Amino acid sequence: MRTAVLRIEYPSLLPLSRIDLPVPDLGLAGAQLATQDNTTTGGFLGQSYDTVALSVPPEDAQEAFRGGLDRGIRLFVVMARTPELLALADAAPPDALLFNATDGDRALRSEECRANLLHVAPSDAMRADALTQFLVWKKWTDWALIEGSNPADRALAEAYRASAAKFGAEIVAERVFEDTGGSRVSDSGHVLVQRQLPVFTQDLPAHDVVLAADATDYFAGYLPYNLWSPAPVAGSAGLRPLTWAPTHESWGATQMQSRFEKLAGRSMREEDYQTWLALRVIGEAVTRTGSADPATIRAYALGDDFALAAFKGQPVTFRPWNGQLRQPILLATGRMTVSVSPQEGFLHQVTSLDTLGLDRPESACTAFEE
């Protein structure tokens, strides 16, 4: 069983916090752990697993993809943004299957869906709904929304607006934090922030929470304790909706954390968890079907019999109408896991996990219709 992890390297600035400094094996370490896990199970069944790591800039994505195809690989876990994901899916031969491990774009699960692209990464809507459910459960329903000025920030803000309307929260004020393109980190940064952010958030109407939509990581980290009026921060800082966090310990997660830390010498990040999860989907499908054929793997993964333990309290499954993996979302700060969504009391006729993100009537995806 040969699989490739294709990671697209995009130019980026340093993160606001040095705790989040980039690591060279981001995502790839999770894939390595999953390959070990698959091999442990597969060894009893005469199965072997090999994962090839491909890490290239966007302009080389197609060449790297073709190189993997030439080596006989037909299963790809892809860490990329929407333009590259769609280009790869459209260029793939009929017998190839791709897994989106990082991109949360709503359109990929709706009007721009592809039948050969399954989504292990949660959508922005799933993350937004997970946080909204908790805030509504707390009865913190009046929000001040601060969004960035970049396209990804605006898309995330739109996900929070939709989620507020879906669950009955109210956005009482909106402000845009302009990305001026200057240096985000400097020796005097905290001094300037301490003076500027309170003024930026002055005169907001009464609110329970400041909700940050900062997909590009250039202002949200500064919001806690720098507001004009005291309020909790959630979204892109403060209380964050995550697929994985170093603080997560329930449902056997401590064992998972320990094994990853022993392997990589660092904490597991979301990208590592999501590549691990994608490869475990493949491993589970191969184990249950006894086949390495991508079409067989896809059919099993989208079928009623598929369920995978993912250290989150309930098995994860796929939505057969758009290829999105259902999964619980952690709500965590930098030091504690506060809660896990879906929250108690949010009901659905199929599964409570379908209260997170696009439900079947909300998705415009038709590629998965037989």
Side-chain angles (χ1 to χ4, degrees), residues 62 65-66 68-70 72-76 87-98 115-117 294-295:
Q62 288 288 343
F65 184 55
R66 288 192 298 269
L69 293 171
D70 291 343
I73 298 172
R74 290 298 181 269
L75 293 165
F76 292 82
L88 292 172
D90 290 342
D95 61 342
L97 180 62
L98 283 63
N116 62 352
L117 180 61

Side-chain angles (χ1 to χ4, degrees), residues 215-236:
T216 42
D217 184 38
Y218 70 95
F219 74 87
Y222 291 127
L223 288 176
Y225 303 101
N226 281 307
L227 305 173
W228 181 270
S229 301
V233 175
S236 299

Side-chain angles (χ1 to χ4, degrees), residues 28-69:
L28 305 181
Q32 186 179 354
L33 183 63
T35 303
Q36 292 181 2
D37 293 347
N38 287 340
T39 299
T40 298
T41 302
F44 295 103
L45 302 172
Q47 301 166 352
S48 61
Y49 292 83
D50 178 35
T51 303
V52 177
L54 306 171
S55 187
V56 297
E59 59 270 19
D60 294 338
Q62 288 288 343
E63 182 180 355
F65 184 55
R66 288 192 298 269
L69 293 171

